[in-house]
Amino acid sequence: MNNELLFRPRTLATASALALVLTACGGGGGGGTASAPSTPSTPAPSPTEGGSGDGTTTEAPERRLSGSITGFGSVFVGGVKFETDDAEIIIDGEPASERDLAVGMVVLLDGTVNGDGTTGTANRIIYDDELTGPIESIEASADGDALLLVVLGFNVIVERTGTVFDDVTFDTLAVDDVVEVSGFPQEGNRLRATRIERKDDFVPGSTAVALEGIARNVTADSFTIGAVTVDSSGAFIDEDDGALADGVRVEVYGTLADGVLTATEVDTEDGPAAGLAEGDTVSVEGAVSAYVDDNSFRVRGLPVDASGATRSPADLALADGAIVQVSGTWDGQRLLAERIGSRRGRIEIEGPVATVDSENGLIDIALAAGTISVATNQGTRLDDDRGDIDRLTLGDIVPGDFLEIEAYLEGERLIATVIDREETDDEVLQAPVERFNAGTAITLLGVTFTVSEGETAYENLQDNDIPATAFFAQLQPGDLVRLKDNELADGIADEIEFEDKGRLDGEREFGCGFDDDGTSCDDDDLMGDDTITDDDGIDTPEDEDDLTDHDGIDTPEDEDDLTDDDGIDTPEDEDDLTDDDGIDTPEDEDDLTDGDGIDTPEDEDDLADGDGAATPEEEDGEDDS
């Protein structure tokens, strides 16, 4: 986001608002890792004009792709290599060039895809960041591989390997840095960053900021997005996509001082399914949220049913926070997925390059304890953290380079999702345990490391030190562990710790739904992507998981509850939105105290009958038994 640009014309929808793919029926399926082959990868043949690359003629369908940029030499998005010679590039609503795009940006791309499914031509590429503002606080995970940044009230998860950095590094991020964030919204107010760019030092009342989210408490002159109060009294209000009102998604530009964002422009935005018609082919990349089962979850706000989808890898397990690319058909209510692929992996390798076969997309990493071969494809993200090359390609990597690689197993092959070139450091291998001899050796990906009493340190899943006997007593084949062989590696493990198989770095510590008390998801849906609006005192039709009678939540389907004095607060119960009425709402701030007969997240001990919910019978604070 251009910090000098406080007003921009709304001639085009933003990439974040249109974070999905609309395609004409037919054509190849550009699914990034979803299209990972089960045999050694080879480059796609060069297509003939209007053809598939094998001499046959294949129509090139119109396509709109949403996803993060993974590389250049053309532009790679969603596992497809797009030529950009004649493409219109729009960044934050302004004309730009292909050179202004960067790895890690989440973009919307209109174009055509050839019959091979891996090459195409871009007609338009749109980029709009999720958030620009000062870092209010920084919290590091216990293992040091993830950070939680608070920016304009939003929790931004940053990964040492999984996030691209520009003009800053993972280790140099600091409070009051103004950062531009691109990434994937998760439940509540969380955002997993694919890219962080440092813009400037923060100057209150002067530095330009921007954020997207759901407007609440809307008045003629102000509203809130999460913890931020927006003064809209002097702003240009662009309501082309709908009137500004409670529950509407907005994008706001302005300056920040003392927790108040003084807006210069407020743009309303369409919902995630805007423009979709029944039968449209859709593909979207993002974080899984609102996961109930494989039949019911969301990706960037779109309801998804993946019960019949082909998976890559075949054992892909879906859960909140997983980063996936989903392709299928919109049936008018949800996306019926035909393919779903992982866009991130839990295997990590850090070590020096032995050989590179750029023609076949293969890299061998020579650890002191043994060599590991990794395959790449067009969905592999390449980034040069050494700063030698602006746009790293596989051909730029040479023997002796030190790489950090993230990957997943497809059968017996490793498919790289992320490759970062780094300065030489400790060798690291994170992978499932194949076998071990307690106190002697441990084997991962066919590579056996020696362990040594007095030299090898051990940690449990909570990053606490434990003795070797306790570690090996818990260890089972298939467990995910992270092993470090310190610089000047010798094949003897210096550190080994348990890792979480199903959660990316930072998800357990900072993610949604994993706190011991189970309350970390009980936040408003500030981003407006999964439409779960817990604890806001207002129920909406989008709260689909609450659409059952007698659950303490009022909805249009619960028609017998839509009356005053029923102990449930809804927009229809307008005369109940007052203090001391026995109903708790955001407006009833003076009721957020213990012993008032109203149950709120703050009133955790005010469970009068011990059921964790306030009812009309409990309005006097007494047990209803």
Side-chain angles (χ1 to χ4, degrees), residues 268-335:
T268 60
E269 296 188 343
D270 288 329
L276 285 179
E278 185 175 351
D280 281 339
T281 302
V282 176
S283 180
V284 58
E285 179 186 1
V288 171
S289 64
Y291 181 82
V292 177
D293 54 33
D294 289 0
N295 301 333
S296 178
F297 60 94
R298 291 175 182 264
V299 177
R300 301 217 34 120
L302 287 180
V304 179
D305 178 355
S307 57
T310 300
R311 303 186 181 212
S312 180
D315 61 353
L316 173 64
L318 299 176
D320 285 331
I323 307 299
V324 297
Q325 184 152 1
V326 188
S327 300
T329 302
W330 181 252
D331 72 353
Q333 299 293 326
R334 57 185 176 168
L335 173 56

Side-chain angles (χ1 to χ4, degrees), residues 134 170 205 235 265 306 321 354 443 472 556:
F170 180 90
E265 181 182 358
T443 301
F472 284 105

Side-chain angles (χ1 to χ4, degrees), residues 107-329:
V107 299
L108 179 74
L109 187 149
D110 292 342
T112 57
V113 177
N114 297 318
D116 58 16
T118 62
T119 59
T121 301
N123 298 324
R124 174 183 293 173
I125 302 175
I126 304 172
Y127 168 71
D128 189 24
D129 61 89
E130 296 286 346
L131 188 66
T132 296
I135 298 175
E136 302 166 30
S137 65
I138 301 177
E139 179 184 352
S141 62
D143 61 10
D145 289 330
L147 300 173
L148 181 68
L149 313 182
V150 177
V151 181
L152 297 177
F154 288 86
N155 291 339
V156 180
I157 299 175
V158 177
E159 301 172 74
R160 186 180 294 277
T161 301
T163 302
V164 177
F165 299 93
D166 189 355
D167 288 334
V168 73
T169 69
F170 180 90
D171 295 314
T172 60
L173 283 165
V175 171
D176 283 341
D177 281 350
V178 176
V179 292
E180 175 182 298
V181 183
S182 185
F184 299 125
Q186 297 182 265
E187 288 186 355
N189 67 339
R190 293 160 180 84
L191 174 68
R192 183 167 290 272
T194 56
R195 178 179 175 81
I196 294 278
E197 180 180 356
R198 187 184 186 279
K199 306 297 287 187
D200 210 340
D201 294 322
F202 178 59
V203 179
S206 175
T207 302
V209 301
L211 79 159
E212 300 180 22
I214 299 300
R216 305 287 184 196
N217 306 309
V218 176
T219 70
D221 297 321
S222 69
F223 56 90
T224 61
I225 300 177
V228 176
T229 297
V230 178
D231 178 355
S232 56
S233 59
F236 169 77
I237 310 295
D238 186 334
E239 297 180 307
D240 285 350
D241 292 327
L244 176 60
D246 272 28
V248 171
R249 183 177 177 86
V250 296
E251 186 168 13
V252 182
Y253 301 84
T255 58
L256 182 72
D258 299 323
V260 176
L261 195 164
T262 301
T264 55
E265 181 182 358
V266 177
D267 302 333
T268 60
E269 296 188 343
D270 288 329
L276 285 179
E278 185 175 351
D280 281 339
T281 302
V282 176
S283 180
V284 58
E285 179 186 1
V288 171
S289 64
Y291 181 82
V292 177
D293 54 33
D294 289 0
N295 301 333
S296 178
F297 60 94
R298 291 175 182 264
V299 177
R300 301 217 34 120
L302 287 180
V304 179
D305 178 355
S307 57
T310 300
R311 303 186 181 212
S312 180
D315 61 353
L316 173 64
L318 299 176
D320 285 331
I323 307 299
V324 297
Q325 184 152 1
V326 188
S327 300
T329 302

Side-chain angles (χ1 to χ4, degrees), residues 352-364:
V353 174
T355 62
V356 181
D357 181 352
S358 57
E359 183 177 352
N360 292 305
L362 300 173
I363 300 175
D364 286 342

Side-chain angles (χ1 to χ4, degrees), residues 162 341 388 414 431 500 574:
D388 298 346
L414 279 175
D500 197 311
E574 294 180 2

Side-chain angles (χ1 to χ4, degrees), residues 72-91:
F72 291 94
S74 301
V75 172
F76 290 82
V77 179
V80 179
K81 177 183 178 180
F82 288 95
E83 297 297 332
T84 60
D85 292 346
D86 299 319
E88 178 186 22
I89 313 293
I90 306 293
I91 296 181

